[in-house]
Amino acid sequence: AQRVTQPEKLLSVFKGAPVELKCNYSYSGSPELFWYVQYSRQRLQLLLRHISRESIKGFTADLNKGETSFHLKKPFAQEEDSAMYYCALSPPGSARQLTFGSGTQLTVLP
Amino acid sequence: KAGVTQTPRYLIKTRGQQVTLSCSPISGHRSVSWYQQTPGQGLQFLFEYFSETQRNKGNFPGRFSGRQFSNSRSEMNVSTLELGDSALYLCASSLWVNGPEAFFGQGTRLTVV
């Protein structure tokens, strides 16, 4: 069965410090992997998609197929990065049937 | 362009009643998916519709159903409401083929009393 695990429910870092949000997954095959973010009182929105290999708002995520991980990283956290972050997977070629992790609430302290 | 619109934003129903939630996708998007978000279970996939047909369904009882209209708007229905159905129901729309992302609505907060 497919599953996404985010081991940290809460994560606090100081402004300017590096941040890493962990995500591990299990899936039979090669899924699409995503990071979604939800800022306070805003709707859930896509942050990163592994296939695009982009850096968005300074965040990057590397897919490690051997470890089945898709950790989200940023070298210097900003206060505006405080939000709930969800790792998610879907069948290849789509973003239509997402399996989400339980989310990590990131707080960046001043 | 307008985002995904869900109505109503808030609902209070009593046990045993039924409820219908509505979702209007982004113009041009033909796939609509529904998710249930609860503190205990997190975000869970309910079902997906494309071209008025249910394509995929999550692990939810038959009390949860949905449909999609020819203009891609979708509704989901929950019959015989239980207290545990209290949740935020999210709708997401995307392109069908190689859709780069799912765009989410703000959700409908359902409270069952």
Side-chain angles (χ1 to χ4, degrees), chain A residues 81-99:
Chain A
D81 296 328
S82 295
M84 179 70 96
Y85 291 81
Y86 293 95
C87 183
L89 65 77
S90 74
S94 80
R96 306 187 309 272
Q97 185 182 344
L98 293 161
T99 298

Side-chain angles (χ1 to χ4, degrees), chain B residues 22 31 86:
Chain B
S22 180
S31 173
S86 295

Side-chain angles (χ1 to χ4, degrees), chain A residues 16-92:
Chain A
V19 62
E20 182 180 48
L21 290 82
K22 291 184 168 50
C23 172
N24 289 90
Y25 67 92
S26 62
Y27 186 86
S28 180
S30 297
E32 295 271 1
L33 285 153
F34 307 85
W35 277 98
Y36 277 82
V37 61
Q38 189 165 30
Y39 301 101
S40 179
R41 287 190 285 276
Q42 293 187 28
R43 62 186 67 194
L44 199 59
Q45 58 187 281
L46 179 69
L47 180 63
L48 282 178
R49 184 185 184 208
H50 90 273
I51 202 167
S52 63
R53 304 180 69 81
E54 296 176 295
S55 172
I56 305 292
K57 299 185 179 182
F59 284 98
T60 58
D62 291 323
L63 175 60
N64 185 322
K65 291 186 178 180
E67 296 181 358
T68 58
S69 67
F70 188 55
H71 303 328
L72 183 68
K73 300 177 184 179
K74 185 169 183 177
F76 307 103
Q78 302 299 314
E79 289 181 69
E80 55 266 29
D81 296 328
S82 295
M84 179 70 96
Y85 291 81
Y86 293 95
C87 183
L89 65 77
S90 74

Side-chain angles (χ1 to χ4, degrees), chain B residues 33-84:
Chain B
S33 299
W34 289 88
Y35 296 85
Q36 183 195 63
Q37 186 174 27
T38 60
Q41 299 298 318
L43 277 155
Q44 292 185 284
F45 172 76
L46 276 157
F47 30 63
E48 180 209 355
Y49 285 87
F50 173 76
S51 288
E52 304 175 62
T53 302
Q54 188 179 94
R55 300 290 172 154
N56 293 288
K57 184 172 166 62
N59 189 24
F60 279 84
R63 300 186 296 108
F64 291 81
S65 63
R67 60 178 176 168
Q68 187 179 34
F69 301 95
S70 58
N71 62 358
S72 296
R73 190 177 70 85
S74 177
E75 290 181 345
M76 69 162 281
N77 184 278
V78 188
S79 62
T80 320
L81 283 165
E82 301 176 0
L83 294 178

